[in-house]
Amino acid sequence: MTAEVNSAGAARAWLRARNRTGAAGRLEGAYLALLTVLIGGGVAASVLPKLAARFAAGPPTVPGPTTLLALGLLWYAAVLAVAARFGPLAATPARISWLLSSPTGRRGLLWPTALTVLGLVTIAGLLHGTLVAWALTAPLGTVVLAGGVAGLLVGSVATLVPTLVDEPATMLDRSALLLGAGAAVLAVVDLPTRAATALGWLGPWGWPQVAAGELPGRVVDPPLVAGPPVWLAVAGVVAALVAGLALVRLDRVRLTTLSAGGVQVETLASGVASLDLGIVARLGEERRWAGRRPRRTGLPRFPGRFVALAHDLVTLRRSPDRLTLVGAALLPPVLAAGFLGPGPLLAGMWLLCGLVAAGVLTENARRDRDLPALGRLLGLPERELLAVRSILPVVVATCWSAGSLTLVARAFAEPVTPWLLLGVAAGPALATGALRAARRGAVRHDLPPIVTPMGWVPTAPLHRLVTAVDLGLLCGLPTLAAVATGDPAGWLPAQLAGSLLGLAGFVIVAGSRVRLVPD
């Protein structure tokens, strides 16, 4: 016996009637909207002319076609990785229970979510096209349109995948890994212009670059096919057809797929609502390990106090995708060096990527702070346990720092050896900042807010954000100065002193805090 499938329109109309606000609520909403438009317009009027002038001037260094192609691959690898984490189609547990128990058509309930996914990925494509137009100082129209069509096609495919396979997250993750591997290869291999253009035609990651190269007056090599309007129109039709197919097949999305994405969305929403994104990391880590069945592998043989290091190595061996994230963090500074050249922006990007690369291996250090029972069971003082926990982050951060600065030196066309030595010296500084970020407690909402003419600004999220970066910035200041100036000469002794003193000081100070109960 099958139940009749009804339209979702009646259900939505009933929900709108229940949520309808009175005249006072509508007046308040109109006032807030008008105030937002006026303030946003005033800010935009003062900022947009300067941004337009900077955009028209282009980047300090014109990137090569291989760099742009690697940027496109990395861009859409990140898009697919985010789509894999959040569904891309997702539903909350309450909504899934409604889907299970009601005869309402699933397609009618899911099409707003699907349209949101398509819109967000299309916006990501437009941003990619804008970045390529700025890098090549090309007119915005055709290049940005090519980026939008590319984004729509990628979003359509990402939305279509959950209707075709049982585990869409696995397929999207593998696709993102493949694109990231291609970006890594192109980051170290400089292809001829003709070969880079040919590779750009193979996928949407190169369409803005191809469109910019075929504009009048910008032809470097003879175009491979007809001008942009013809192929771009065909690509737009194909993207629209794939998007329509994805919307038509929404009834075939499995509820397990919706549930997996809904858990991630709910976790992120709880972190945003509580102004504590640390909750997202902790809950995501717990749920990730809860869904795994690792094989029983013995601990590596290390003497007594280094058993915590054996624990770190087992954790890394059971989760090798962390090393993928470490490798992915190598690419943004290298590609940005081809656009920006030496400067503070490149230095800041290098610091943030270094903290991310070192931070993926600090899970156990965070757990030691949240739940100090393991240290007591091992009979290790907190300071000694923290010193052992810092070994693996220091090793990985040192390798990452040396590799990234070596690639940055190649982008600057400078000798590699001074940058390599500076990267080795800067590794412990990045690990120190990552360990400090991992050992942050919950957001302290008891801190007084900051009063501004626009209203109150909560201090707790700002305090947490600064706590994540301050020590890495302070200890790695010599390397940041070298990246900002493009000259590593003379900074090596200062960086060695900053890294060693910073790491030792952090272990001594953070390890001396005695807590009888977890925060």
Side-chain angles (χ1 to χ4, degrees):
M1 181 177 181
T2 59
E4 182 182 358
V5 178
N6 300 319
S7 172
R12 284 205 179 85
W14 180 79
L15 289 174
R16 285 194 294 268
R18 295 268 302 185
N19 295 331
R20 196 167 291 156
T21 59
R26 289 194 296 270
L27 183 61
E28 181 182 0
Y31 168 75
L32 292 177
L34 179 62
L35 184 63
T36 302
V37 170
L38 292 177
I39 295 175
V43 173
S46 61
V47 173
L48 284 181
K50 299 178 182 179
L51 291 179
R54 293 287 300 272
F55 187 89
T61 305
V62 178
T66 306
T67 301
L68 286 175
L69 190 59
L71 174 67
L73 288 169
L74 183 63
W75 190 279
Y76 284 109
V79 169
L80 292 180
V82 173
R85 293 295 176 274
F86 294 99
L89 300 177
T92 60
R95 197 175 184 187
I96 290 177
S97 64
W98 184 25
L99 289 175
L100 282 171
S101 59
S102 72
T104 305
R106 195 175 302 172
R107 182 193 307 160
L109 291 170
L110 290 179
W111 72 262
T113 304
L115 289 180
T116 301
V117 173
L118 293 176
L120 291 176
V121 182
T122 302
I123 291 174
L126 293 173
L127 292 176
H128 176 224
T130 304
L131 182 59
V132 172
W134 168 73
L136 298 177
T137 60
L140 287 176
T142 305
V143 181
V144 175
L145 181 60
V149 172
L152 177 61
L153 180 60
V154 173
S156 302
V157 172
T159 308
L160 183 63
V161 166
T163 69
L164 299 174
V165 299
D166 294 338
E167 296 183 356
T170 302
M171 178 174 289
L172 293 176
D173 265 334
R174 291 175 179 173
S175 302
L177 182 62
L178 182 62
L179 294 181
V185 172
L186 294 179
V188 297
V189 177
D190 193 11
L191 298 178
T193 303
R194 186 76 173 180
T197 304
L199 287 177
W201 281 106
L202 296 180
W205 48 81
W207 289 355
Q209 179 182 349
V210 173
E214 292 188 344
L215 291 176
R218 301 193 59 84
V219 178
V220 179
D221 286 330
L224 299 180
V225 296
V230 177
W231 68 264
L232 198 53
V234 175
V237 172
V238 172
L241 290 177
V242 177
L245 179 62
L247 294 176
V248 169
R249 293 179 57 87
L250 287 178
D251 278 334
R252 300 178 180 271
V253 180
R254 292 180 176 270
L255 291 175
T256 53
T257 301
L258 297 176
S259 175
V263 168
Q264 299 292 338
V265 173
E266 189 177 19
T267 302
L268 180 61
S270 63
V272 173
S274 62
L275 298 179
D276 186 2
L277 293 181
I279 295 178
V280 179
R282 287 169 168 82
L283 291 180
E285 199 69 34
E286 291 177 2
R287 287 169 176 165
R288 187 171 67 89
W289 284 112
R292 293 194 175 192
R293 293 180 175 86
R295 294 177 303 172
R296 296 185 60 182
T297 55
L299 288 174
R301 296 183 179 274
F302 286 105
R305 67 184 64 184
F306 292 101
V307 67
L309 177 59
H311 180 213
D312 291 341
L313 292 175
V314 169
T315 303
L316 179 60
R317 184 169 58 187
R318 290 178 175 175
S319 185
D321 54 329
R322 297 170 183 268
L323 295 180
T324 304
L325 183 57
V326 174
L330 273 172
L331 300 180
V334 178
L335 298 179
F339 286 85
L340 306 174
L345 187 58
L346 178 61
M349 183 179 296
W350 180 86
L351 174 64
L352 294 178
C353 291
L355 292 177
V356 169
V360 298
L361 300 169
T362 57
E363 171 200 352
N364 291 332
R366 181 178 69 237
R367 186 175 289 110
D368 290 340
R369 186 200 182 280
D370 294 341
L371 301 171
L374 178 61
R376 292 197 295 265
L377 290 174
L378 294 175
L380 295 176
E382 187 170 358
R383 183 181 302 171
E384 188 172 336
L385 179 61
L386 179 58
V388 177
R389 291 292 194 198
S390 66
I391 294 176
L392 189 59
V394 167
V395 172
V396 174
T398 301
C399 296
W400 182 93
S401 178
S404 65
L405 289 185
T406 299
L407 295 176
V408 167
R410 290 182 70 253
F412 290 166
E414 292 188 0
V416 171
T417 304
W419 289 99
L420 176 62
L421 296 177
L422 188 62
V424 173
L430 295 175
T432 303
L435 287 169
R436 175 170 169 80
R439 292 178 63 85
R440 292 173 298 182
V443 169
R444 294 183 53 189
H445 293 292
D446 59 331
L447 296 176
I450 301 174
V451 181
T452 68
M454 300 294 297
W456 287 7
V457 177
T459 311
L462 298 178
H463 175 265
R464 181 178 179 83
L465 181 62
V466 171
T467 305
V469 181
D470 55 354
L471 196 55
L473 174 64
L474 182 63
C475 296
L477 196 57
T479 300
L480 296 177
V483 175
T485 59
D487 184 11
W491 293 110
L492 182 59
Q495 183 57 69
L496 281 173
S499 295
L500 296 179
L501 292 177
L503 181 61
F506 172 76
V507 171
I508 292 173
V509 174
S512 62
R513 298 173 182 173
V514 178
R515 293 175 290 109
L516 299 179
V517 295
D519 294 341

